[in-house]
Amino acid sequence: MDKQINILKNEPLSKYSFTRTGGPADFIAFPKSVDEVRSLVKQAKNDDLPITVLGNASNLIIKDGGINGLVIMLTDMNSISCDNHEIVADAGASYIDVTIEAQRNSLSGLEFAAGIPGSVGGAIYMNAGAYGGETDKIVKSVVVLTNDAQIKSLSNQELHFGYRHSLIQENDYIVLQATFELQSGDSNDIQLEMDHFNSLRASKQPLDLPSCGSVFKRPVGNFAGKLIHDSGLQGYQSGGAQVSTKHAGFIVNVDHANATDYLDVIHHVQAVVETNYNIHLETEVRIIGRDK
Ligand SMILES: Cc1cc2nc3c(=O)[nH]c(=O)nc-3n(C[C@H](O)[C@H](O)[C@H](O)COP(=O)(O)OP(=O)(O)OC[C@H]3O[C@@H](n4cnc5c(N)ncnc54)[C@H](O)[C@@H]3O)c2cc1C
């Protein structure tokens, strides 16, 4: 691998993941520019190493065996700029920072994301959303690196957004940058809306404990949290992972959990809800890596 770019070997990913779980990455790199990402991708291909891209690791369960090959973590590529009604942000920029930049520039449309703790790349990948807002409503275009190391711009339509879904999930594209198109608004109103959403979050979500947010997607015509609550599963614990007593859709790390504890809780919840309601809860969180 390239000697110029900071690459760590055998680095525990529990240091980076929001659940504080996950085994080591064979290699992890923190590129600072598109050129560095490109050169990492080319070298990994030459060395026959699989590549995994991480944003803020806030929607992941990384298995205890860690990740094979090269992990590229984009958090050092984080510039954000504003021009008229548009905000251009690097993939590794914090989505929350983008909402702050929008508010500072009296731009409305991103208020819903005020408390989503991911990166811009992760928000595009997941089509992150909250409180009736969704990323696809404000994305104009996205710059990606294709698997043959070409840079390409994709329009909103080309990204095939759906509920917690985008085209990026179907190929190996790496999101490098996104352009958001917003509307003029009143900066005080925007701030009030953001504060309102953040206080709703604080009142309903266990933000004091490590978690990966809502673990399950919303099943059609229902709510995962309600099915889990009504099944009496809040407080169910395996090892150090527990179905939150504050928000049934969250699984929190209450006592040095590992990824196996998380997966055990997920499988138990899925089995009980399936028995009770004949509904399969599909995970929203991405489960990646190898078994120990
Ligand atoms: C307390 C809490 C609250 C949350 N609330 C919400 C919420 O309200 N709404 C919501 O939608 N989500 C929520 N989440 C989940 C999470 O923050 C979002 O899904 C977020 O968009 C994930 O971004 P990330 O950068 O952390 O992605 P990561 O967790 O790093 O990665 C998620 C997936 O995206 C891929 N990916 C990341 N960056 C790139 C890139 N640049 N190019 C290609 N692929 C990439 C990864 O490979 C992985 O498969 C919450 C999480 C927590 C912990």
Side-chain angles (χ1 to χ4, degrees), residues 163 215-236 243-244 247-250 265-266 268-283:
Y163 171 60
V215 173
F216 302 101
K217 288 187 180 176
R218 198 177 55 225
V220 177
N222 221 312
F223 291 98
K226 179 168 172 22
L227 296 171
I228 296 166
H229 171 268
D230 292 353
S231 295
L233 285 164
Q234 282 184 273
Y236 174 82
V243 178
S244 167
H247 186 309
F250 280 51
V265 174
I266 288 175
H268 180 75
V269 167
Q270 284 173 323
V272 172
V273 168
E274 196 137 4
T275 304
N276 289 351
Y277 302 101
N278 202 20
I279 292 174
H280 175 70
L281 290 181
E282 198 187 324
T283 48

Side-chain angles (χ1 to χ4, degrees), residues 9 17 79-80 83 94 139 148 153 199 244 248 253 276 290:
K9 258 177 98 171
S17 72
S79 84
I80 303 170
D83 183 15
S94 136
V139 169
D148 52 356
S153 177
S199 60
S244 167
N253 183 347
N276 289 351
R290 57 195 167 197

Side-chain angles (χ1 to χ4, degrees), residues 12-282:
L13 293 170
S14 53
K15 275 171 71 174
Y16 305 94
S17 72
F18 266 59
T19 58
R20 297 287 170 255
T21 67
D26 291 349
F27 301 96
I28 184 167
F30 300 87
K32 291 190 164 43
S33 67
V34 169
D35 280 347
E36 288 191 0
V37 178
R38 213 179 197 169
S39 112
L40 285 165
V41 168
K42 283 186 181 158
Q43 283 180 59
K45 299 247 164 200
N46 283 343
D47 299 345
D48 226 5
L49 291 177
I51 296 171
T52 304
V53 181
L54 299 189
N56 244 2
S58 67
N59 198 43
L60 290 175
I61 293 170
I62 301 163
K63 291 189 186 174
D64 294 323
I67 297 186
N68 184 24
L70 174 68
V71 171
I72 300 181
M73 193 154 188
L74 292 175
T75 41
D76 283 352
M77 281 173 58
N78 51 24
S79 84
I80 303 170
S81 62
C82 181
D83 183 15
N84 203 7
H85 287 99
E86 290 183 3
I87 289 189
V88 179
D90 284 348
S94 136
Y95 208 22
I96 292 175
D97 287 350
V98 179
T99 69
I100 292 168
E101 182 70 7
Q103 186 277 335
R104 273 199 206 120
N105 287 279
S106 306
L107 291 176
S108 172
L110 262 165
E111 294 87 335
F112 74 90
I116 299 181
S119 67
V120 165
I124 301 290
Y125 182 98
M126 291 303 300
N127 189 16
Y131 304 114
E134 247 178 341
T135 299
D136 64 324
K137 304 292 183 293
I138 35 118
V139 169
K140 184 179 178 193
S141 59
V142 165
V143 177
V144 296
L145 189 72
T146 64
N147 33 22
D148 52 356
Q150 301 302 308
I151 290 179
K152 196 169 158 180
S153 177
L154 299 170
S155 68
N156 182 305
Q157 283 83 349
E158 287 173 312
L159 285 157
H160 296 167
F161 284 117
Y163 171 60
R164 299 295 175 268
H165 180 268
S166 74
L167 171 88
I168 314 296
Q169 294 177 16
E170 286 153 26
N171 52 38
D172 296 332
Y173 290 174
I174 299 176
V175 175
L176 297 172
Q177 195 180 66
T179 301
F180 300 97
E181 193 163 35
L182 303 166
Q183 288 168 2
S184 297
D186 178 89
S187 62
N188 288 329
D189 292 347
I190 295 167
Q191 187 64 57
L192 283 174
E193 183 95 330
M194 288 165 62
D195 292 347
H196 171 61
F197 289 146
N198 278 334
S199 60
L200 279 180
R201 244 175 226 285
S203 69
K204 297 211 157 82
Q205 299 181 358
L207 300 181
D208 52 331
L209 288 167
S211 82
C212 48
S214 294
V215 173
F216 302 101
K217 288 187 180 176
R218 198 177 55 225
V220 177
N222 221 312
F223 291 98
K226 179 168 172 22
L227 296 171
I228 296 166
H229 171 268
D230 292 353
S231 295
L233 285 164
Q234 282 184 273
Y236 174 82
Q237 189 167 337
S238 177
Q242 185 191 66
V243 178
S244 167
T245 50
K246 190 167 180 184
H247 186 309
F250 280 51
I251 298 176
V252 285
N253 183 347
V254 286
D255 185 14
H256 305 94
N258 59 25
T260 307
D261 299 337
Y262 261 87
L263 295 178
D264 287 347
V265 174
I266 288 175
H267 295 146
H268 180 75
V269 167
Q270 284 173 323
V272 172
V273 168
E274 196 137 4
T275 304
N276 289 351
Y277 302 101
N278 202 20
I279 292 174
H280 175 70
L281 290 181
E282 198 187 324

